[in-house]
Amino acid sequence: FLGALMISWIRGRELVRAAMRFGSISIEALSARMDSGEIARSAGTEVFVVRRPIPEHAIACILEQVRRLNILAERVVILLLDPDWADPREACGEVKVSRHPGGLWVLRGRHGYMARPDVPGFLSKAGDGGDFAHLPDSTFYVIAREFIVSCPRSLFPSWQRRLFGFMARNVLPSP
């Protein structure tokens, strides 16, 4: 039984990652789309927090928000959190900042693998000595997670699809 759980989880995660890559665009393409003026913009900052050092989940979350609401904040920050195995208890380590056209920022932060990340601390640290400014009063945070809706029957047997769906719905959310 444990083997079926593990195989179902691994196969399901592979399918989710493939689906995220299929509908995703690059950071440069997202930045160009934001800079083109086709998306309405509102005042403030939106921070999309991802617990992996790859931006696909945040980009998919941003594109879904644009699809549903057709609006983004004037500043959009993708915060990619990467656990640092060397210092297990540090909540807010080094931060790398990259600025893109259209008000898009990508921050890469390291934190201890056992520590709860200090997201406002990462934003404050990113603002130290650079042109990024953290404005806490006008910042909205989004935890970028995938939401699994369906899977084609040909890719996953029905028992495995139901088992993966159960496990995915009951996984603990990111802190």
Side-chain angles (χ1 to χ4, degrees), residues 40-102:
R41 305 301 283 271
S42 65
T45 302
E46 283 181 290
V47 179
F48 292 85
V49 182
V50 183
R51 295 284 308 248
R52 293 175 188 85
I54 53 174
E56 279 98 4
H57 292 280
I59 291 172
C61 190
I62 292 167
L63 292 174
E64 182 63 17
Q65 177 177 327
V66 168
R67 185 184 75 78
R68 289 176 182 254
L69 305 175
N70 199 30
I71 193 166
L72 276 177
E74 62 187 356
R75 284 189 346 148
V76 175
V77 178
I78 298 175
L79 176 58
L80 305 171
L81 298 175
D82 189 15
D84 186 359
W85 299 98
D87 192 357
R89 302 258 183 227
E90 185 178 22
C92 182
E94 65 180 274
V95 180
K96 295 179 183 169
V97 180
S98 60
R99 182 180 190 171
H100 299 272

